[in-house]
Amino acid sequence: MSPNRPPLSRKLDGLRSSAIRDLLELTSRAEIIGLAGGLPDAQLMPRERIARAAADALRGSEVLQYTESRGWGPLRAVVAERESAGLGRAVPVEEVFVTHGSQQALALLAEVLLDPGALVVVEDPAYIGALQVFRAAGARILAVPLDAEGMRVDALADLLARGERPAVVHTVSTFHNPGGVTMSPRRRRDLAALADAHGFWVIEDDPYGELWFDRPAPAPVATYSPAVIRLSSASKIISPTLRVGWMVAPEPVCRAVELLKQGADLCGSALTQQIAADLLADRTWLAAHIDLVRATYSDRAKALVHAVRDTFGDRVACTDAEGGMFVWATFTDGTDTSDLLATAVEHGVAYVPGAAFAVDTDYRTALRMCFTTSDAGRLEEAVRRLAGAHAAASAST
């Protein structure tokens, strides 16, 4: 840039590109089996049903016009009805706000709820998109670990007892990205109780909750307190191309988000929001569609987990995939997954090293694998390739 022009904003100083997006650019060759991306399977997306909904929407000219900043009214009504069923309480339409995917909701909430220097507590390992948002907001970030029951709420309680006062606690409560675990019902109640007692907001990021395999996910954290702002999306159950996400939040928060959204993009697409409303309101069709996605992902998840355990034995510990899109695995022999990645790509398989999700713990021996876009046979081949890469790397040291 010209030395006569002012520098770019200082908020960019602490930001870095998503390691996952960078990795996808490097591993997009057809011969590489990609376990790195967090993408739903495009072959399961309902193209014909979307096309029919689009054709119906385009019969009226209003769908080509601007729409409300809070989202198209009928879509908000459909979302309010769905969320009411999930939360076990009536969700007013005034507490539903539609965004350009749930990531935009997270970014707008960071501007509404956080001043520079405010404390945000996240899980470790953390969802990369949340870290990017909170760093851009200039937040101070502390992490609490995960275990098999999700966020260690007792560790959060310890932070509070030491005098830390978070403005926001962020959780991917169900089928965690990247950790693959689900917060237990007891911890959900405990987290909500802490929010009420200490006056912080909880952002419950829940794009995967409907993708359960053998049994439904626990009731959302938002069931237990109005201090919980809930985010969800149509991306994982229908298609990311609609760019329809939403949040359920107290009306004053929705009003504040509306002010910021008007300055960012004014409103979303009336066309895709009307399509989404049509699809989400078609209960019989949607239930059958989600059942198909669940069954397909369940078979793939179990194939991946079985292949990892059968191939590596006790050299790798991995989560049981009970839903969602990811398996989190850890080498018990000290293998550094960042160092192994180049050899893995040479052997035709890619994953995301655990270090990409680290906050306080380095997770250098961990990796995240996505099972959604490959069938069982291809996933088994991916694990064979990973084993070959591991053997080659071990032989060279």
Side-chain angles (χ1 to χ4, degrees):
M1 292 179 61
S2 167
N4 296 323
R5 295 195 179 101
L8 298 178
S9 167
R10 282 181 292 180
K11 72 166 58 176
L12 294 169
D13 293 346
L15 300 184
R16 54 181 180 270
S17 177
S18 165
I20 300 171
R21 298 299 173 192
D22 294 344
L23 181 59
L24 289 177
E25 292 182 12
L26 295 173
T27 60
S28 58
R29 303 194 304 272
E31 67 271 18
I32 294 176
I33 301 177
L35 306 178
L39 307 177
D41 188 349
Q43 296 304 312
L44 295 175
M45 296 175 195
R47 286 171 289 179
E48 292 182 3
R49 183 65 183 84
I50 291 173
R52 190 161 73 250
D56 289 344
L58 287 166
R59 289 194 175 97
S61 60
E62 68 276 4
V63 78
L64 304 177
Q65 191 53 274
Y66 292 106
T67 191
E68 302 99 313
S69 297
R70 290 191 178 202
W72 190 56
L75 172 58
R76 291 170 60 217
V78 170
V79 170
E81 184 177 359
R82 284 173 53 82
E83 292 290 328
S84 296
L87 296 176
R89 63 174 175 85
V91 174
V93 172
E94 292 76 20
E95 294 184 1
V96 174
F97 197 104
V98 176
T99 55
H100 193 73
S102 60
Q103 184 70 19
Q104 186 189 50
L106 187 58
L108 292 169
L109 283 170
E111 292 190 64
V112 165
L113 303 179
L114 300 173
D115 290 319
L119 174 60
V120 175
V121 176
V122 299
E123 294 153 326
D124 195 7
Y127 168 52
I128 288 178
L131 290 178
Q132 289 177 309
V133 163
F134 297 141
R135 285 168 177 157
R140 181 168 70 96
I141 299 173
L142 292 178
V144 294
L146 293 172
D147 64 16
E149 293 186 59
M151 176 190 278
R152 285 273 310 279
V153 178
D154 62 317
L156 172 62
D158 289 343
L159 284 178
L160 296 167
R162 295 200 300 268
E164 295 288 2
R165 290 295 176 261
V168 166
V169 173
H170 176 269
T171 178
V172 183
S173 57
T174 305
F175 311 131
H176 189 272
N177 176 12
V181 295
T182 294
M183 190 186 299
S184 67
R186 176 180 58 83
R187 290 190 184 176
R188 291 169 188 245
R189 291 190 294 269
D190 291 347
L191 175 57
L194 288 175
D196 289 339
H198 293 273
F200 58 79
W201 293 100
V202 175
I203 298 178
E204 182 180 22
D205 219 339
D206 186 19
Y208 311 108
E210 294 190 70
L211 299 180
W212 51 267
F213 299 155
D214 296 325
R215 61 180 181 274
V221 182
T223 303
Y224 303 108
S225 171
V228 182
I229 298 171
R230 178 172 154 75
L231 310 185
S232 196
S233 168
S235 293
K236 305 303 188 294
I237 59 172
I238 299 176
S239 173
T241 197
L242 297 175
R243 304 315 302 135
V244 170
W246 56 84
M247 68 177 181
V248 176
E251 190 174 1
V253 174
C254 290
R255 287 199 301 267
V257 168
E258 183 175 16
L259 291 175
L260 288 173
K261 193 173 192 302
Q262 288 172 346
D265 63 2
L266 189 61
C267 66
S269 163
L271 175 58
T272 60
Q273 289 186 21
Q274 188 162 327
I275 293 169
D278 184 335
L279 301 178
L280 292 172
D282 189 346
R283 295 182 183 180
T284 301
W285 169 82
L286 183 61
H289 169 69
I290 294 177
D291 280 347
L292 172 63
V293 175
R294 286 184 189 131
T296 304
Y297 287 176
S298 177
D299 289 345
R300 293 173 181 179
K302 291 171 183 176
L304 177 60
V305 170
H306 177 76
V308 169
R309 291 174 175 166
D310 188 56
T311 302
F312 286 97
D314 60 7
R315 290 173 297 168
V316 173
C318 70
T319 54
D320 290 311
E322 297 178 343
M325 298 171 58
F326 305 107
V327 167
W328 180 256
T330 304
F331 280 96
T332 59
D333 61 3
T335 296
D336 187 312
T337 56
S338 294
D339 292 343
L340 179 63
L341 181 59
T343 305
V345 171
E346 289 174 0
H347 280 71
V349 62
Y351 56 82
V352 185
F357 308 96
V359 184
D360 292 336
T361 306
D362 62 23
Y363 295 108
R364 66 178 186 82
T365 62
L367 66 157
R368 190 197 77 176
M369 296 177 285
C370 179
F371 49 76
T372 53
T373 55
S374 296
D375 62 24
R378 192 162 171 81
L379 290 167
E380 290 162 358
E381 174 61 23
V383 175
R384 284 192 289 270
R385 294 181 185 186
L386 181 60
H390 182 260
S394 299
S396 66
T397 57

